[in-house]
């Protein structure tokens, strides 16, 4: 509750001119989202992708944020902070799944939390694809570990689904499809 209050206060304090948080690529992305009907854009992203990348789940994420916030940049930033904070919790859970003691797991999560906070992945809208990829990669890891611990086949298939979602979030998420086999 305290973290959410700080996030709300930060969003209010930093609510200045509408493009304050956004990079030029973010502005281009938002204008592209606004230029096409949502279903046509979603289909185009899954069918062919963007000219420079293939990130359909990231595009759907941006579309949802654009529907929620329009051009209000602090809203995008707040969601990036929430996603980054949730990924921090997943880092802690993965560390505990790998049998690290809670102080070491908490240290790993703390380093994850504070290291990338000031950089592009959290600050700019377009780079939230990294946050989504990290989320699905960590979920895939947790589910693969659960499969190894229990032997339940459904955990394995869910892990592969998480890995696939990581690939659809950002191209470098392809490593997530290899992790269940490696484990």
């Amino acid at each position: 509750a305290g973290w959410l209050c700080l996030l709300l206060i930060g969003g209010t304090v930093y609510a200045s001119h509408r493009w304050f948080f956004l990079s030029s690529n973010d502005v281009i992305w938002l204008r592209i989202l606004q230029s096409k009907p949502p279903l046509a854009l979603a289909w185009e992203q899954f069918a062919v992708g963007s000219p420079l990348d293939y990130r359909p789940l990231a595009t759907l994420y941006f579309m949802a944020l654009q529907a929620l916030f329009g051009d209000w940049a602090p809203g995008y930033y707040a969601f990036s902070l929430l996603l980054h904070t949730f990924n921090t919790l997943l880092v802690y859970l993965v560390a505990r799944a790998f049998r690290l003691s809670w102080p070491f797991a908490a240290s790993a999560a703390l380093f994850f939390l504070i290291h990338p906070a000031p950089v592009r992945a959290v600050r700019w809208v377009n780079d939230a694809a990294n946050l989504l990829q990290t989320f699905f990669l960590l979920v895939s890891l947790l589910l693969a570990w659960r499969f190894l611990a229990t032997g339940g086949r459904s955990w394995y298939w869910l892990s592969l689904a998480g890995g696939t979602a990581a690939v659809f979030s950002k191209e470098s998420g392809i490593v997530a499809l290899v992790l269940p086999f490696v484990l």
Side-chain angles (χ1 to χ4, degrees), residues 3 7 78-91 109 112-113 122 131:
W3 174 249
L7 200 57
F79 259 76
S80 289
L81 282 175
L82 282 174
L83 189 55
H84 180 61
T85 303
F86 194 70
N87 284 344
T88 300
L89 174 65
L90 288 173
V91 166
F112 183 86
L113 178 68
V122 176
L131 297 174

Side-chain angles (χ1 to χ4, degrees), residues 2 6 10-11 16 23 25 40-41 45 53 65 73 81 86 88 92 94 99 105-106 112 134-135 143 148 155 167 173:
L6 287 174
S16 63
S23 72
N25 286 340
L41 181 64
Q45 288 298 303
D53 52 31
L65 291 182
L81 282 175
F86 194 70
T88 300
Y92 174 79
V94 166
R99 308 282 190 251
F112 183 86
T134 302
F135 170 77
L143 294 171
L148 290 173
W155 296 115
V167 173

Side-chain angles (χ1 to χ4, degrees), residues 117-160:
V119 297
R120 297 177 355 177
V122 176
R123 179 132 175 113
W124 292 345
V125 178
N126 201 22
D127 287 321
N130 290 318
L131 297 174
L132 289 171
Q133 174 199 4
T134 302
F135 170 77
F136 289 118
L137 179 71
L138 291 168
V139 165
S140 179
L141 252 172
L142 277 175
L143 294 171
W145 190 259
R146 184 80 175 153
F147 162 70
L148 290 173
T150 64
R153 286 234 178 264
S154 60
W155 296 115
Y156 183 76
W157 292 110
L158 287 172
S159 174
L160 287 177

